[in-house]
Amino acid sequence: MPSTDTLTMEDICRISPVVPVVRAPDPDAAVEVAKALVRGGVSVIELTLRTSTAVESIRAIAEEVPEITLGAGTVVTPEQVALVVDAGARFVVSPGSPAALQDAVHDEGIPALLGAATVTEMLELASRGWRTVKFFPAEDAGGARYLSNLRGPLPDLQFCPTGGINQANVRDYLALPNVPCVGGSWITPESAVAAGDWARIEELAGEISSLRGTVS
């Protein structure tokens, strides 16, 4: 695996078949979640900007768990791109793909998963050089069948679907050749985070190893 600083988005999507999507209440909890994931064999994390301490949590993970490939999720403005890069994020994830956000990501030189739900949005991203795209909200936007139908008209695009993916349907997505990984929050349930049940998160992360053979 290349060093973190030289990773492409394609590299990152192959670290784990599931990228844990995490909402942590504070930096201490964020660090413990990251450590539990690593112990369970998952060395990538998407920490969402959905709390007031999210940027501080990213900084804490970057400093205390450097072995994990750290991403910032729910990044929706150019200003947030700069903030999370400064805090130590090594990739960014957004539910959408406005031009200003694309420009900010290019300016920072950081890998990104930018969101698209329609073929028009996907074609726009492809026209600007993106080859790996976040498909969001996956289940509501058509699910695995929709992505399967895109293989013909969009053969060069890869997708990381997120939104509504869980243990019951994850294999349907990972069986698709154009899906190297998915994003999911079931590995780090908020109930376990709130209870400080790091062993449960480690256990759930360990179960991800059984999905590796599912990836095409």
Side-chain angles (χ1 to χ4, degrees), residues 18-104:
V18 181
V19 177
V21 180
V22 178
R23 181 181 185 275
D26 55 65
D28 289 341
V31 167
E32 292 302 326
V33 170
K35 289 179 177 178
L37 289 172
V38 171
R39 290 195 301 269
V42 175
S43 56
V44 62
I45 184 174
E46 176 192 332
L47 197 290
T48 65
L49 299 187
R50 297 182 186 175
T51 68
S52 60
T53 59
V55 174
E56 290 83 354
S57 294
I58 290 170
R59 194 179 305 279
I61 293 173
E63 293 175 353
E64 299 186 41
V65 198
E67 62 270 35
I68 202 165
T69 300
L70 171 59
T74 323
V75 175
V76 296
T77 69
E79 293 77 17
Q80 288 176 333
V81 174
L83 280 174
V84 300
V85 169
D86 180 70
R90 291 295 176 261
F91 67 98
V92 299
V93 184
S94 176
S97 52
L101 191 64
Q102 293 185 55
D103 291 341

Side-chain angles (χ1 to χ4, degrees), residues 99-122:
L101 191 64
Q102 293 185 55
D103 291 341
V105 168
H106 275 302
D107 291 345
E108 291 288 349
I110 189 170
L113 273 175
L114 301 181
T118 69
V119 173
T120 297
E121 291 171 331
M122 295 167 189

